[in-house]
Amino acid sequence: MKSISLVSAPWPLYNRPSIQLGALKAYLDKNLPEIKTHAHYLYLTFAARLGYALYETISTGMWRAEVPFAALLFPEKKDEAARFLATRLKGTPFYRSLDPASLSGRLTEISRCLLDEIKWDDYLMVGISACLGQLTSSIYFAYEIRKRAPDSIIVLGGSACAGKMGLSIVKTFPVIDCVVNGEGERPLLALIQQATEGRKPASTPLKGVVTRQTKPEEIDAAQISDLDTLPLPDFSEYFRDLASLEAKKHFIPRLPIEASRGCWWKGASRSSLPAKTQRGCAFCNLNLQWSGYRAKSTGKIRQEIYALALRHRTLSMSFMDNSIPYTKDVRLFEEISSIGVDLRLFCEIRAGVSLGVLKSMARAGVHEVQAGIEALSTSLLKKLNKGTTALDNIELMRNCESLETMSLNGNLIMEFPLSDQKDVDETLRTMDFSFPFLPPKGISFWLGFGSPAWSNPMAFNITRTGNHPFYRHLFPKKVLAGLVLMIQGYRADKSLQKKLWAPVRKKLAQWAESYDSLHTGRLHEPILSHQDGGGFLIIRQRRPGNAHMIHRLEGASRRIYLFCESQRSLSEILGFSDGIAHDKVLAFLRMMEDKRLMFSEGDRYLALSLKAGGCRGLK
């Protein structure tokens, strides 16, 4: 009986196996043990042969990643694609040294060698995973595999072909027999069972499968209701391929971990967005492939982490979730801590995670978090429907800064079409208080297909949408006309937004420079820290150029300040300071704010300094 092939083409991160291939292979092996499933991590071999540094440079830029194989797919676009690639390489080590023609030659040669090593006509079906930055490479390999296996069924799936995007792809590229919409386990299983009976994908409609005959309103998905029933992902072929490389190319990979699917905030949020606009963050299109939200149990997550660590002898892992579940309490992280090994974990979180939970995460081995900061203006956060406030974000930044073993990455979205002067003024004010903490990365707003802003553009001051103009450098005009793609262009008052946000960009650069200058040398203290003397508190405020300031708080002032290490309402503070005149408490709070030692929003206050030396221990 013929086998099944699962393929991941360039350009995923080379140092971790594909969660899509690992999960699908394990599921198919469990449910179709009589049919062999092989996973082909083509991107790993490409990375090794191109060189890891060059591969990483290309793979970490979405537009850079789509260019090289577009030039191979459409030779008539190679010169234009080469010029475009040069613009996207600015600021990288390969800006002047990389010759696009030479790169195309190397990719062609590596592709030919890889493809010729595999007997493609042994496969009944080839499933190709296409996520961000993988569309052109996936289509290219589909055509090359078709040349070698004209009778194999070629299926595309992944976030790059969710919904109407997938329908446009299957209609535009005849080499693709069908597209899986949403998660792939159940649809792919049904497709294989259908194929073993000699039936083609379009012969009988299948839930979650999109063919050229599918109407837009007929696009649906077939999901696993209970994620605890899924088998442990199988990454064995990634590690086999890694072991086959020459010794100097070996490395210890990071493993992907999946704790949930979908976005709990999208389902739980009380939308602050305009009427007739879908829920979730206004800019986000990360969950198009899922309907609703599901999470594995804490015990299941613990079991998978432990089993994968033992099987693959590695301790570095990344949660692939858009926002890791169970951040309202410590259950998950206590489970992980109980494994008793020194893990190094990455995960994505939302603001609102308490310091207690962050400490539990750190004890479990979380060394890096990506937080959905997005804005330092509460009015803008409301327009983005984040469900958080500037104060929430400042508190998260402060708490992560206090944990010496955990680094925080976050983005600051600028030039959102609904932004106004109030949003910018609030952002600039908040930044005045944020200088002691690691600055977020400033990014310009981009419009994602399927996001609330795309779905209801007029509500966001967007007058027209369509595929991003950059795609013109990659696809011929006739091909592009039939495609619906992930990054969308739009018309709005972009010049006004750039002008509005110019002061924020300037101040963000100053913030980064200030933070870096105060964190030079082998040892450094927090920029804003305190030492507790029992009856008094010493606060040290470090500034660039050695213009440091020292503050001392005595008695009640010390107690109130420490009480506000987590955000407190004015009524809570007044209740805590019972016996002290309210006007004196208010005067103290104003003084702390004037000195940038506390931040307030509405009637809520937060002390900003960290315990000197960080959170010594994580108890």
Side-chain angles (χ1 to χ4, degrees):
M1 182 177 290
K2 287 194 171 186
S3 306
I4 304 300
S5 170
L6 301 175
V7 173
S8 186
W11 302 87
L13 298 180
Y14 72 86
N15 64 344
R16 71 183 183 208
S18 162
I19 186 64
Q20 293 85 2
L21 265 58
L24 287 171
K25 175 176 167 54
Y27 184 84
L28 294 177
D29 284 348
K30 176 184 176 182
N31 289 278
L32 285 175
E34 69 277 14
I35 299 179
K36 293 291 185 182
T37 298
H38 300 131
H40 296 109
Y41 295 87
L42 302 185
Y43 64 87
L44 175 60
T45 304
F46 267 88
R49 296 186 185 180
L50 275 180
Y52 293 138
L54 174 56
Y55 183 95
E56 184 174 21
T57 295
I58 296 173
S59 68
T60 51
M62 199 287 291
W63 292 113
R64 291 196 295 267
E66 292 291 10
V67 173
F69 284 97
L72 299 184
L73 262 178
F74 308 109
E76 68 272 29
K77 302 291 289 186
K78 66 178 182 180
D79 292 337
E80 184 178 354
R83 291 191 295 271
F84 179 58
L85 179 60
T87 67
R88 308 313 297 178
L89 286 170
K90 285 183 178 179
T92 75
F94 297 94
Y95 173 46
R96 299 193 182 278
S97 61
L98 182 64
D99 174 33
S102 174
L103 176 63
S104 292
R106 293 174 68 187
L107 293 179
T108 301
E109 178 61 20
I110 296 170
S111 300
R112 184 188 62 77
C113 291
L114 267 177
L115 288 162
D116 290 348
E117 290 171 1
I118 300 168
K119 296 182 66 176
W120 294 101
D121 56 3
D122 283 350
Y123 294 112
L124 173 69
M125 184 177 295
V126 178
I128 304 176
S129 175
C131 297
L132 186 67
Q134 280 184 291
L135 181 58
T136 55
S137 62
S138 296
I139 299 297
Y140 173 80
F141 277 99
Y143 275 107
E144 292 299 314
I145 291 168
R146 174 67 79 215
K147 293 176 186 177
R148 294 160 172 81
D151 296 326
S152 295
I153 298 169
I154 297 181
V155 183
L156 205 64
S159 59
C161 44
K164 292 180 181 179
M165 293 188 292
L167 180 58
S168 76
I169 290 168
V170 77
K171 286 187 172 183
T172 300
F173 298 105
V175 70
I176 305 298
D177 292 302
C178 62
V179 165
V180 168
N181 178 59
E183 63 192 44
E185 286 92 347
R186 290 178 59 194
L188 198 56
L189 177 63
L191 276 169
I192 295 168
Q193 291 170 333
Q194 188 182 73
T196 58
E197 298 169 1
R199 292 183 290 149
K200 296 294 184 182
S203 61
T204 304
L206 293 174
K207 197 172 181 63
V209 176
V210 178
T211 69
R212 276 174 272 281
Q213 289 73 41
T214 304
K215 297 177 181 178
E217 63 272 16
E218 295 173 341
I219 298 174
D220 56 10
Q223 298 192 152
I224 305 290
S225 57
D226 182 1
L227 299 187
D228 277 6
T229 63
L230 290 172
L232 184 72
D234 185 344
F235 303 127
S236 55
E237 284 156 308
Y238 176 91
F239 282 87
R240 179 205 64 195
D241 293 348
L242 179 60
S244 71
L245 301 176
E246 56 183 318
K248 66 180 181 180
K249 298 285 188 179
H250 289 181
F251 56 86
I252 299 177
R254 295 188 69 90
L255 293 178
I257 301 294
E258 184 182 51
S260 62
R261 293 180 179 179
C263 174
W264 67 264
W265 170 246
K266 186 174 182 178
S269 63
R270 291 184 177 180
S271 181
S272 63
L273 300 175
K276 298 182 180 179
T277 303
Q278 64 193 53
R279 289 186 172 188
C281 299
F283 56 88
C284 183
N285 71 338
L286 292 179
N287 295 282
L288 298 182
Q289 67 269 40
W290 289 302
S291 175
Y293 177 76
R294 295 147 294 150
K296 295 176 182 176
S297 65
T298 58
K300 172 72 169 177
I301 298 167
R302 178 197 185 280
Q303 177 190 17
E304 291 196 353
I305 290 174
Y306 184 52
L308 288 170
L310 283 182
R311 177 184 292 179
H312 299 298
R313 322 307 286 177
T314 182
L315 297 171
S316 295
M317 302 183 187
S318 295
F319 282 95
M320 307 308 292
D321 311 59
N322 297 147
S323 181
I324 194 170
Y326 306 109
T327 52
K328 294 299 182 184
D329 57 52
V330 299
R331 286 179 298 155
L332 172 60
F333 308 105
E334 287 181 343
E335 287 268 13
I336 296 173
S337 294
S338 71
I339 296 173
V341 297
D342 296 328
L343 294 166
R344 190 174 188 88
L345 304 174
F346 163 85
C347 64
E348 297 193 28
I349 60 174
R350 286 173 51 85
V353 179
S354 70
L355 179 59
V357 172
L358 287 172
K359 288 181 178 180
S360 180
M361 292 169 67
R363 287 193 294 269
V366 176
H367 283 253
E368 183 181 1
V369 293
Q370 174 79 29
I373 299 292
E374 321 306 359
L376 294 175
S377 156
T378 295
S379 64
L380 180 53
L381 286 164
K382 186 175 181 180
K383 294 171 185 176
L384 294 171
N385 197 39
K386 282 296 298 182
T388 55
T389 65
L391 182 59
D392 293 331
N393 285 336
I394 290 285
E395 185 172 23
L396 179 64
M397 293 163 68
R398 174 198 177 278
N399 288 342
C400 286
E401 193 82 16
S402 74
L403 298 172
E404 294 176 312
T405 60
M406 184 184 293
S407 65
L408 169 70
N409 298 315
N411 293 326
L412 192 69
I413 296 175
M414 295 178 279
E415 300 164 22
F416 185 64
L418 282 182
S419 299
D420 56 26
Q421 189 63 53
K422 179 184 177 183
D423 302 330
V424 171
D425 290 344
E426 285 185 3
T427 301
L428 292 170
R429 174 188 177 267
T430 305
M431 291 171 80
D432 285 336
F433 294 82
S434 307
F435 268 57
F437 315 128
L438 182 69
K441 178 183 177 182
I443 61 170
S444 295
F445 168 77
W446 59 270
L447 184 64
F449 172 83
S451 66
W454 178 88
S455 301
N456 190 6
M458 296 299 289
F460 294 89
N461 291 343
I462 295 172
T463 57
R464 186 177 177 181
T465 64
N467 289 329
H468 196 286
F470 284 175
Y471 285 117
R472 297 172 190 167
H473 303 303
L474 310 180
F475 296 96
K477 187 175 181 179
K478 287 185 178 180
V479 174
L480 185 57
L483 290 172
V484 178
L485 299 170
M486 187 175 291
I487 312 299
Q488 293 282 291
Y490 65 95
R491 286 188 181 177
D493 197 340
K494 297 179 183 179
S495 59
L496 171 63
Q497 289 298 329
K498 286 184 178 180
K499 184 177 179 180
L500 270 177
W501 285 91
V504 174
R505 288 190 181 277
K506 181 178 180 180
K507 196 164 190 173
L508 192 58
Q510 293 170 344
W511 180 1
E513 182 180 357
S514 170
Y515 186 89
D516 289 344
S517 71
L518 292 169
H519 284 77
T520 56
R522 190 170 62 88
L523 297 173
H524 59 259
E525 296 180 21
I527 294 173
L528 181 61
S529 63
H530 66 255
Q531 296 170 273
D532 190 1
F536 64 95
L537 195 72
I538 302 294
I539 301 176
R540 187 176 187 217
Q541 202 170 17
R542 299 172 62 219
R543 296 179 177 181
N546 293 317
H548 307 327
M549 296 188 69
I550 306 294
H551 312 269
R552 182 169 58 219
L553 303 181
E554 301 271 4
S557 296
R558 166 194 167 273
R559 292 194 300 274
I560 293 172
Y561 189 84
L562 292 177
F563 180 67
C564 293
E565 285 190 294
S566 58
Q567 55 176 286
R568 305 286 187 177
S569 67
L570 180 58
S571 61
E572 288 177 307
I573 297 170
L574 294 175
F576 176 78
S577 55
D578 188 34
I580 304 175
H582 289 186
D583 59 339
K584 289 187 176 181
V585 174
L586 289 170
F588 169 73
L589 294 174
R590 283 195 298 270
M591 179 180 69
M592 291 294 96
E593 193 168 3
D594 289 343
K595 294 178 182 293
R596 304 288 192 266
L597 302 179
M598 294 182 75
F599 178 77
S600 74
E601 187 171 46
D603 72 339
R604 301 189 70 80
Y605 293 81
L606 176 71
L608 298 177
S609 71
L610 315 178
K611 184 176 178 60
C615 287
R616 296 302 184 189
L618 296 170
K619 298 180 180 179

